[in-house]
Structures are given as C-alpha cells and as structure tokens.
Amino acid sequence: MSRNDAAPGTVNAPPSRPRRLLSLLYVQCLIGVLAGAAVGWLWPSFGADLKPLGDGFIALVRMMIAPVIFCTVVHGIASMGNARAVGRVSLKALIYFEVLTTVAMVIGLVVVNVVQPGSGLHVDPSTLSTKGLPPEATASHESLSAFLLAMIPDTLLSALTGHEILPVLLVSVLFGFGLNAAGEAGAGITQGIEKLSKVLFTLIRWIMRLAPIGAFGSMAFTIGNYGLDTLRHLFLLVGSFWLTALFFVLVVLGAVMRVNGLRLLPFLRYIKEELLIVLGTSSSEPVLPRLMAKLQHAGASKPVVGITLPAGYSFNLDGTAIYLTMGSVFLAQALGIDLSLTQQLSMLAVMLLTSKGAAGVTGSGFIALAATLSAVPHVPVGALALIFGIDRFMSEARALTSVVGNGVATLAVAKWEGQLDEERAKAVFRGDLPFSAAPEDDHTPEPQVEPTLDAKPEAVEEAAPKAATGGGREPVPAAG
C-alpha cells in the first residue's frame, strides 16, 4: 500500500528533525561545502578533478540568467504607466552604486595602509614574470568607449545568447518600452512573457536542487588545486580582506538597511541559502534568478527588482572594489614601492572604471585588478603572480559581499521609490511569510493594489496590510 493509500484514521508521523534539516537547501549546500573541503584536503588530486561538477552547475544557471532578466524587466516596464519612472529608478540606482563603491574602495585603502600586509616581503621586481597568469590578465583591456559600445549587441537576439548582463538589460528595457507604447497590441505579448517567466522559474527550481553538488565540486577543486598551505604565506592579506569585507557588510550595509527601516541580520538569514551557494561556487551568478524572486517576495516591486538587481551585478561590485584597493597596494608594499596619497587616489579613480562590467563569475576581480595595473604605471602587471595562488580564497568574500550589497541596494532603491512594502518585508525577514520556490506563487506579493513604478504612495500603503498577511492567503510553506 502506498503512502497516499494509508488506511482511514491513520496519521503519518511527521518527519524527524534531522530529516527536516537535511531537506533544507542551505543545509545541503553547507554539507556540500564541508565535504568538498575535506575531499580536497585529503585527496588533492581527486579533488582538483571534481572541477566539472561546479562548472556544470554554474553553466546550467548561467544559461537561465538572460531569459529570466529579459522576462522580469520587460514585464515590469510593459505593465507600468509612467515610462519616465524607469529613468528615475536607473539614475537613483547608479548614484547609489557609485557612492557605495567609492566607500568600499576607501575602506579597503585605509585598512591596507594601516595593516600593511605586504611590508617586509622585499620581492625583487626583476624576478617577476607574467608566465603562468591567465591570458585575460595580460591582454590589452578595453577603453571606456569600447566598454560602452560593448553594451550594444549585434542583434536583438544575440544579447540573449551571450554571457554579458548589460546587453540583456539594454534590450529588455527597450523591448519593455516598445510593448508599453504599443498599447493593446502589446498586451498579449506581455501576458505571454509573464507566463514564460513562470516556466523559467520552474526550471530554476529544478536546477537549484543541484546546488549542493556544484558547491561540493567547486570547493574540492579549490582546496585540492591550491592547497591550504598557500594561505600560510599570505594569511595576513586574506584575513584582513575577509575582515574588511565583513566590516563593510555589517557596518556600512547595516547602516543602509537601518536608514530604510529594515535590519541586516534578518535579511542575511532570509538569503542564507543563496549565500552558501555563493560560498561554495565562488560566484554570485548562480543566485541571481532566485535572489530576484526572493526580493519580489519580500515586497519590492517587480520593475525595481528587474532594473536594479541585474544592473548591480555590473555596477555595484562592492567586494571587488575592496579587493582592488587592497590588492594593488599590497603588491606595491611587497615590491617596496612607496605610493603617495595622490598616486593611490589616482589608482582609485581608475578602479571606479575597471570595476564596472566585471561579472559575478569566479576570477573577474583578478582580471579587473590586472586592468587597473595595466592602466597605471605604479605597479608592474607581473606582480599579480604573487597573489594568483591565493586569489581563489578571496573570491568567495568578493562574491558574498557583492551579493549582499546588491540585495541591500535593491531594497533601498525600492524604498526610495515608494515601491517597497516595508511591513511585508519585515514579516518575510522574520519568517512569518516563508519564501516558496513554487512557480504558482508568481514569486511576487499579490496585494489587492499591486504597486507599479507610477503608483501613488497612498495606494501602496493601502495594499500593505493585505500584503503583509499574504493577501488573505495562508503563508506558503518554505521550499526544501
């Protein structure tokens, strides 16, 4: 007799606590990370061979990112009433990104000058070579104009088949405006895109079940290939970088959340599954679709999430910003090069450009650092060989900081636009309204008055009590 054909009157015993814990995705990811580290430490060569497990998982999620961004942005813009609001949201987001990126760089600059992790190494510059570095680190880097032109795809469809986020965002905004201007002719397409979005999130939900395997393979490769001994020589740089990133998250991002009436730690608990996936894979890309769904569930409107979060993946890399300042000054200290304050500030100005467009994939921060050193004459590019071996141990902190920063940025912009249901957000972060990855929930709160970018604040406030209780529905059980 099957489980569903149990005799009348019988009651199935609830699953035990260990079984319930093992069914949670973040617990599975944590086990995968720890098991991968153990395998890489005990059997280094076998652990290094497990790299395809992590690469395969990241590739599966990456193939979904472009269509998910396209559907979310297009539907958000096409369903709103005031097209000028998109420009307003984009401008606020970009100003926020620049301010927070600059703050992150300044904090990194202060820490590396106070701690001075590279002092005393006395590395001879003549012994340095670019041999062994990845080709991207020594290639010529594009100018600002080339970077801006690269945002324009060759064709409308080629943006959806590439690997860059900015061309997808550009095409999505233009297509959304087109549907909005088409009126009734675009209404059917808008509804079709909304339904396609549900299908895509169903696929994302299936793929995310493989996250523990991807985290296991990536961590086994990292430890097996680079070894824990590498940290012993440059522990001060790695340790100070992690602590600086932690300070930025808890103090700076915590202050941003407080200013907007929310608290950081409940938000971190809410996205703990995404943080563990990032920790295991050293990449922020795999969690982008799911983070978009979670922010919408927390009460941020779909247009704001669709515009701000993907843009943040290219313009708001707080972790990379800290890494650039600390990494470049560390190399100068290791080579005995005394950088004046003016030289350090000029490097910071260059970093504000080289950090843009660095996607959330593993190693992008290292390539951005190479671009910075190529643009300024103070430190030779060959010095990158000093930190190439330990870069992987800092990539996790870069990705984690950037993911949290982009989530906080989206909530902040939504609040400034009057497009955040604050009471619902607090209830979601407390766990009163658990997130479900099931597609039938549409990943968004559905109050009686759905806030759009041109909605009046009064309408949003009227919808808040109903949204805080799930629109009169029972809370959806959390997905495993």
Side-chain angles (χ1 to χ4, degrees):
M1 183 167 56
S2 68
R3 180 175 164 182
N4 294 329
D5 296 332
T10 59
V11 178
N12 291 328
S16 62
R17 180 175 176 81
R19 187 174 178 180
R20 289 199 308 271
L21 287 175
L22 289 175
S23 69
L24 299 176
L25 182 60
Y26 78 90
V27 174
Q28 296 171 5
C29 289
L30 180 59
I31 293 174
V33 169
L34 296 177
V39 169
W41 179 47
L42 296 174
W43 302 285
S45 122
F46 176 67
D49 292 338
L50 295 178
K51 187 174 185 290
L53 293 178
D55 292 346
F57 170 70
I58 294 175
L60 282 172
V61 179
R62 187 180 295 166
M63 76 177 183
M64 305 297 299
I65 288 178
V68 165
I69 292 176
F70 178 80
C71 290
T72 303
V73 175
V74 169
H75 180 263
I77 294 177
S79 60
M80 72 184 184
N82 185 2
R84 288 182 301 177
V86 174
R88 188 173 65 244
V89 170
S90 302
L91 180 61
K92 288 182 179 180
L94 290 176
I95 293 175
Y96 173 93
F97 294 159
E98 285 303 314
V99 171
L100 266 289
T101 298
T102 304
V103 170
M105 287 183 175
V106 170
I107 291 175
L109 205 60
V110 171
V111 171
V112 75
N113 278 283
V114 171
V115 179
Q116 297 192 348
S119 296
L121 290 180
H122 305 298
V123 176
D124 185 359
S126 64
T127 63
L128 299 176
S129 171
T130 57
K131 185 179 180 180
L133 295 177
E136 296 88 349
T138 54
S140 58
H141 299 280
E142 59 185 14
S143 61
L144 177 61
S145 60
F147 167 73
L148 295 175
L149 289 175
M151 293 173 56
I152 306 175
D154 294 333
T155 66
L156 190 69
L157 295 179
S158 64
L160 302 180
T161 59
H163 297 290
E164 299 296 329
I165 291 179
L166 290 179
V168 179
L169 197 57
L170 175 64
V171 169
S172 302
V173 170
L174 292 177
F175 200 81
F177 277 133
L179 290 181
N180 197 336
E184 185 178 350
I189 299 178
T190 302
Q191 294 176 359
I193 288 177
E194 183 181 14
K195 294 177 180 178
L196 176 60
S197 177
K198 294 183 179 181
V199 175
L200 293 175
F201 275 104
T202 299
L203 299 180
I204 288 291
R205 181 164 52 95
W206 294 346
I207 293 173
M208 293 309 292
R209 304 311 303 175
L210 301 176
I213 299 176
F216 168 77
S218 294
M219 188 57 68
F221 163 75
T222 299
I223 303 299
N225 193 57
Y226 298 109
L228 292 174
D229 287 342
T230 313
L231 290 176
R232 183 177 58 193
H233 300 288
L234 296 166
F235 176 77
L236 188 56
L237 173 62
V238 176
S240 59
F241 174 68
W242 272 85
L243 290 176
T244 304
L246 184 63
F247 173 84
F248 178 83
V249 169
L250 295 180
V251 177
V252 178
L253 298 183
V256 173
M257 290 287 280
R258 282 286 186 182
V259 167
N260 291 284
L262 300 173
R263 294 172 55 211
L264 179 67
L265 294 183
F267 173 65
L268 295 180
R269 285 196 297 268
Y270 177 57
I271 61 170
K272 58 182 177 293
E273 293 175 349
E274 289 69 35
L275 296 179
L276 282 171
I277 292 171
V278 171
L279 178 65
T281 60
S282 299
S283 172
S284 58
E285 269 194 335
V287 301
L288 173 57
R290 187 178 170 97
L291 192 59
M292 293 175 74
K294 278 198 166 184
L295 290 170
Q296 292 173 39
H297 177 73
S301 70
K302 181 180 287 188
V304 172
V305 173
I307 294 171
T308 306
L309 190 62
Y313 266 64
S314 290
F315 292 101
N316 190 44
L317 300 175
D318 298 326
T320 300
I322 297 172
Y323 169 79
L324 290 177
T325 50
M326 294 192 69
S328 58
V329 177
F330 167 81
L331 294 177
Q333 292 172 351
L335 296 176
I337 300 174
D338 186 18
L339 295 177
S340 65
L341 179 61
T342 302
Q343 290 174 321
Q344 293 188 30
L345 292 178
S346 67
M347 291 180 68
L348 188 147
V350 172
M351 292 170 193
L352 286 172
L353 297 177
T354 55
S355 64
K356 306 308 178 196
V361 297
T362 303
S364 61
F366 187 79
I367 304 305
L369 179 58
T372 302
L373 298 183
S374 300
V376 294
H378 311 312
V379 181
V381 177
L384 288 171
L386 297 175
I387 62 172
F388 180 54
I390 60 159
D391 176 74
R392 181 79 183 207
F393 293 97
M394 292 186 283
S395 64
E396 289 94 344
R398 291 199 301 262
L400 286 168
T401 306
S402 296
V403 164
V404 177
N406 285 324
V408 171
T410 304
L411 293 172
V413 173
K415 176 66 181 293
W416 300 338
E417 278 291 299
Q419 300 299 312
L420 176 66
D421 188 339
E422 189 175 333
E423 294 304 315
R424 180 184 177 91
K426 292 178 180 178
V428 168
F429 296 162
R430 285 195 309 264
D432 296 343
L433 294 173
F435 171 78
S436 172
E440 53 266 24
D441 292 312
D442 199 23
H443 309 284
T444 59
E446 293 291 347
Q448 294 297 318
V449 181
E450 182 179 358
T452 55
L453 281 178
D454 63 333
K456 295 181 180 179
E458 293 83 4
V460 179
E461 291 173 3
E462 291 173 2
K466 295 180 181 179
T469 57
R473 296 175 294 178
E474 292 295 323
V476 181

